[in-house]
Amino acid sequence: MENLENYVRRGEVERAIKVLREEDDPIIRTELLCELFKLVPWGMDYNIVRDELLSARYLARDRKEKAIILSLIAEALFQRGEEGKAVKMFSEAMETAERIGLPSSRAEALSGVALNLLRAGFYEDAYDLFVKAVEALMSGETNTMPLLSKIADLITGGVEGIDDPEWAVAHLHLAAEVYEYVGRNLSSSISKRKAELIKRAIEGDVRILRRILAENRVDDAVLIARYLPKELRGMAFLEVSFWLYANGHSEAGRQVFEDAYSLLTAFPGVGEEELFSIAVDFVKLGYPQLASRLANLISSERLISGLLARIAVAYYRSGEEFLARTIAMGIPSETIKSRVLQEIGGEAHVGYEQGLQVAGGREKR
C-alpha cells in the first residue's frame, strides 16, 4: 500500500480510506486509520477520518479485538488532543478486556490495551494491566510460557516510550520477573541492568556516561541520557553525538546533535566548561561547523575566545582562509584575536571593514 503521507499531501484522504477498507484484519485496519488520523490537518479531512476511525470499533469480531481496537482509537484521540473522549474509550477498553473469560485471551487483550496506555502516557494504568495479564496466565491455563514471554517483550519494548524514570524502572523490573519465570535468564539480566542504569541516571550520575561510551555501549549511554535530570540531558546527548561522529555514524550523530542542541538551548549557562571541552573535541575531529554552533551557547569571554581561535585555525588549515579570518575577527579577547590573525595571516581591520559576522551567527563584540 502507498505511504499514507502521500495521500494526505495530495489531498486524497477519502481515497486513502477506501484503500484501507480493503484490509480484512480489524486491528491492522484500525492501526492504519490511527496513523492516517495522526497525519491529517484540522478541518474537513480531520472529521472524515475521525468518523471512520470511531466506527472501527464495530469491526471487532470478539471482546479481545474490541478492547484492543478501542485502546488504539483512544491513543490516537489522545495524541490529537481529544483527551476527554480518549479517557472514556480507554476506560471502556479496560472494562471490555477484564470481562473476557478465557485467561489467555484476557491476557492478550489486557497487554494490548496496556501498550496503548503506555503510548499515551498513562503509566500507572498500563502497569496495572500488565500485572493483571501476567497474573491471568500464571494462575490459569497450561502452556502459557510463549504468551508470557511475548508480554515481557511488549513491556520492554514499551519502556522506550516512557519518559518517567520511576515508571520505566518499575516496568523493567516486571519484565525481568516474567523473563525469569519463563526461563529467559539473559533477558531478565538485561532488563535488571537497564533498570539499574536508569536509577544511576535519576541520581544525576553523569560520570558513568563516558565510561559506558568508552566500552562502546552506546545504547546504554542513550538510555542514561534519556533519564538524567533535564538540565543534564543536553550535555549527555552531546557526548553521545560526539561518540557517533567519532565512530563513523555521522547521520545518527547529526540527529542526536540536534536533540542535544535543543536541550542545551533550553538550559543556557549549564556546564560551559564541559561544553567548551566537547566543542574543542569536535574541532579536533574535523567538524568545526558543529563547534561553531556550540559557540553560540557559551557566554564566558575566556572560553568563547579560546574556542573561536581553534575554529578559525581549523578552517584556515582546511583552506577556507576567508571564513577563518571572519571567525577570528569575532574573538572577544584582543590578545587572542591578534595572535590568531598573525597565525592565519589576517589583517586586524578586514572583518570590520566588511561588516562580517562570526560563524554560528554570533554578533561581533
Side-chain angles (χ1 to χ4, degrees), residues 51 56 63 67 90 145 171 181 204 237 262 284 315 335:
D51 290 343
R63 282 183 176 175
F90 268 131
M145 294 298 188
H171 281 80
Y181 182 83
F237 277 116
S262 296
K284 293 177 181 177
Y315 275 123
T335 303

Side-chain angles (χ1 to χ4, degrees), residues 184-198:
R184 290 176 59 181
N185 295 326
L186 178 59
S187 295
S188 178
S189 297
I190 291 172
S191 293
K192 290 177 182 177
R193 178 172 58 81
K194 287 183 176 180
E196 289 305 310
L197 288 174
I198 294 174

Side-chain angles (χ1 to χ4, degrees), residues 17-18 20 42-43 46 59 99 111 130-131 144 156 159 187 206 213 230 272 288 291 306 310 331 335 339 362:
I17 291 174
K18 185 177 180 180
L20 294 184
W42 292 97
Y46 178 90
L59 300 172
R99 288 201 305 268
S111 58
F130 277 129
V131 169
T144 58
T156 54
V159 168
S187 295
V206 181
L213 285 172
K230 289 183 179 180
E272 287 200 353
R310 288 168 171 82
I331 296 173
T335 303
R339 174 177 59 78
R362 294 181 62 86

